[in-house]
């Protein structure tokens, strides 16, 4: 902490928090409640894949996956630090948390890029 | 309503005992009594050796902060009736060294407070003849809330980060720094930046939010810290620009 990188991580963390707080409920509502309960008609496969192929959709999906992952990483890092009081393992924790977020984001980017 | 209520009060007499103990006193229960009244009853009638701080009895001086049943409160604002049936546990604030009984040593905070320069800093004072520095109601509102702090230290006692990292400047000192940073008459924000954004400053905070919950004056120190995190992050971004701030 206090190293010059902290404000940057916090900005990403804030963006991730905002993104998940604003957008996740919409998706949860649509795919978790409204569609399964038949409140709205499920979109057809062709329509969905068409939507998914659009670059803006892919970018959008990347944003709502990558930023919340970083948000998780930052939060979990401090949960480990203070909750378990294992601050002496800083290097390991940092690599694990941000590493996981990075790998997850890279996997998301790879999959989104390669949508047939 | 009970006729009496028991108070389990933390005692620590360093010359007599190696560690704090609890001592129980039975005091009359009165609807209009606060914990501080009960402590004063003990001191006057039951045990003159009990030590604790208080002064105004009206939530202004900030000296009567203690933990009541584990929560940091102003004892002059904590009614006995809110803590029935008892025994009501009264202990000194957490994370400060105990001097005696319920009295804690606040030197750590006093040192930190000075570091954030909680006074109006000017690059240049304007001549007296030009009159006072005037403010609009909006300019006053920008910092007024932070100026309500009475240095009661409840927020430090509630902050787990301060418990883990004693060097953390802490909620009230940061809120008081913001009190001056947000003041239109002040020009010292740059001078406070280093200490606030440094290792022991705002970045220690993980937004637990307990400081704001326990604050008796609605200062919202957690809000002040979040506000400053944004200021500091924006400053950091600007330092990346070739023409940016340094
Ligand atoms: S910010 Fe609130 S809780 Fe903290 S010292 Fe000031 S008045 Fe007390
Ligand atoms: S005695 Fe002054 S604030 Fe409680």
């Amino acid at each position: 902490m206090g190293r010059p990188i902290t404000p940057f991580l916090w900005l990403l963390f804030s963006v991730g928090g905002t993104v998940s707080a604003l957008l996740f409920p919409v998706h949860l509502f649509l795919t978790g409640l409204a569609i399964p309960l038949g409140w709205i008609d499920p979109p057809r496969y062709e329509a969905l894949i068409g939507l998914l192929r659009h670059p803006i959709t892919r970018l959008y999906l990347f944003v709502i996956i990558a930023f919340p992952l970083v948000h998780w990483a930052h939060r979990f890092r401090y949960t480990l630090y203070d909750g378990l009081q294992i601050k002496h393992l800083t290097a390991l924790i940092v690599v694990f948390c941000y590493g996981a977020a990075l790998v997850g984001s890279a996997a998301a980017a790879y999959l989104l890029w390669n949508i047939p | 309503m009970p006729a009496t209520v028991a108070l389990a009060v933390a005692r620590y007499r360093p010359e007599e005992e190696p560690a704090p103990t609890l001592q129980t006193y039975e005091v009359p229960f009165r609807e209009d009594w606060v914990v501080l009244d009960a402590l004063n009853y003990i001191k006057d009638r039951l045990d003159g050796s009990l030590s604790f701080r208080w002064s105004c009895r009206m939530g202004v001086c900030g000296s009567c902060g203690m933990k009541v049943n584990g929560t940091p409160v102003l004892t002059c604002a904590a009614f006995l009736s809110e803590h029935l049936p008892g025994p009501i546990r009264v202990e000194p604030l957490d994370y400060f060294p105990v001097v005696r009984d319920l009295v804690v040593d606040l030197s750590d905070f006093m040192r930190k407070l000075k570091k954030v320069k909680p006074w109006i800093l000017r690059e240049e004072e304007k001549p007296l003849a030009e009159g006072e520095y005037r403010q609009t109601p909006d300019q006053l509102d920008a910092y007024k809330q932070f100026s309500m702090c009475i240095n009661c230290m409840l927020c430090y006692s509630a902050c787990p980060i301060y418990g883990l990292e004693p060097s953390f400047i802490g909620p009230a000192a940061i809120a008081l720094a913001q009190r001056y940073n947000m003041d239109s008459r002040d020009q010292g924000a740059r001078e406070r930046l280093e200490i606030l954004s440094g290792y022991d400053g705002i970045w220690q905070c993980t937004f637990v939010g307990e400081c704001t919950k326990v604050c008796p004056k609605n200062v919202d120190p957690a809000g002040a810290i979040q506000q400053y995190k944004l200021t500091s992050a924006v400053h950091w971004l600007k330092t990346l620009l070739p023409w940016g701030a340094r």
Side-chain angles (χ1 to χ4, degrees):
Chain A
M1 262 179 281
R3 277 184 300 269
I5 186 83
T6 314
F8 174 67
L9 290 175
W10 180 80
L11 276 177
L12 292 182
F13 166 78
S14 308
V15 174
T18 313
V19 163
S20 25
L22 290 181
L23 300 177
F24 278 20
V26 179
H27 288 274
L28 287 176
F29 175 76
L30 287 178
T31 54
L33 281 175
I35 295 179
L37 293 179
W39 296 342
I40 52 175
D41 289 335
R44 284 179 313 108
Y45 176 79
E46 292 72 26
L48 264 188
I49 192 84
L51 183 65
L52 208 48
R53 287 199 182 108
H54 198 285
I56 299 269
T57 316
R58 298 189 208 194
L59 186 68
Y60 170 78
L61 286 176
F62 180 73
V63 165
I64 70 163
I65 293 170
F67 282 104
L69 274 176
V70 178
H71 182 84
W72 164 82
H74 197 67
R75 183 42 89 195
F76 199 61
R77 167 187 168 192
Y78 288 105
T79 306
L80 291 176
Y81 274 5
D82 299 331
L84 301 184
Q85 309 207 357
I86 45 175
K87 214 166 193 172
H88 52 285
L89 301 177
T90 297
L92 199 70
I93 293 174
V94 164
V95 169
F96 167 71
C97 290
Y98 299 113
L102 220 61
V103 170
S105 307
Y110 175 81
L111 290 173
L112 291 168
W113 188 259
N114 289 304
I115 288 169
Chain B
M1 283 295 155
T4 63
V5 60
L7 254 65
V9 183
R11 299 299 314 266
Y12 175 55
R13 289 143 294 195
E15 71 285 357
E16 277 173 39
E17 53 203 356
T21 52
L22 281 181
Q23 187 167 346
T24 305
Y25 302 95
E26 199 73 26
V27 302
F29 173 80
R30 284 184 49 182
E31 192 80 47
D32 56 351
W33 268 15
V34 290
V35 172
L36 183 63
D37 293 320
L39 291 175
N40 274 323
Y41 179 89
I42 296 171
K43 178 123 183 135
D44 294 344
R45 310 281 179 93
L46 305 178
D47 183 349
S49 74
L50 182 66
S51 304
F52 52 97
R53 278 201 196 103
W54 63 283
S55 173
C56 70
R57 288 172 55 221
M58 48 193 280
V60 174
C61 72
S63 60
C64 69
M66 295 166 212
K67 276 195 312 170
V68 173
N69 284 346
T71 307
V73 292
L74 294 181
T75 47
C76 68
F79 282 92
L80 291 176
S81 59
E82 289 164 0
H83 296 88
L84 289 179
I88 302 170
R89 218 162 8 98
V90 186
E91 295 159 294
L93 291 177
D94 274 333
Y95 312 137
F96 293 97
V98 179
V99 178
R100 188 178 190 85
D101 297 339
L102 299 163
V103 179
V104 292
D105 180 358
L106 302 176
S107 327
D108 181 53
F109 171 71
M110 295 306 169
R111 258 192 314 274
K112 286 170 179 166
L113 184 60
K114 230 201 244 158
K115 280 197 205 158
V116 303
K117 307 197 175 169
W119 53 82
I120 287 184
L121 290 165
R122 301 279 311 174
E123 274 146 29
E124 215 180 306
E125 286 288 355
K126 67 179 189 183
L128 259 188
E130 280 177 37
E132 58 278 77
Y133 297 101
R134 308 190 74 173
Q135 274 183 323
T136 67
D138 281 348
Q139 286 171 329
L140 175 65
D141 280 344
Y143 69 85
K144 188 164 175 218
Q145 177 191 14
F146 302 142
S147 75
M148 304 310 275
C149 175
I150 55 174
N151 302 359
C152 66
M153 299 295 101
L154 301 191
C155 52
Y156 283 74
S157 180
C159 174
I161 302 296
Y162 181 56
L164 293 168
E165 296 278 349
S167 61
F168 176 38
I169 299 176
I174 297 175
L176 285 164
Q178 269 307 71
R179 179 252 170 272
Y180 289 92
N181 281 340
M182 304 302 287
D183 190 321
S184 57
R185 299 164 296 182
D186 181 86
Q187 298 171 328
R190 188 66 195 79
E191 265 182 68
R192 297 185 192 99
L193 180 82
E194 202 172 315
I195 177 91
L196 290 176
S197 298
Y199 183 84
D200 294 324
I202 47 167
W203 301 112
Q204 293 276 1
C205 166
T206 57
F207 202 12
V208 177
E210 283 298 311
C211 50
T212 291
K213 254 193 233 161
V214 299
C215 175
K217 292 283 156 186
N218 297 320
V219 171
D220 190 13
I225 297 175
Q226 297 311 301
Q227 195 184 56
Y228 199 79
K229 278 183 184 172
L230 190 60
T231 308
S232 170
V234 168
H235 178 84
W236 181 87
L237 284 177
K238 280 192 197 150
T239 59
L240 297 183
L241 304 173
W243 59 90
R246 258 287 125 198

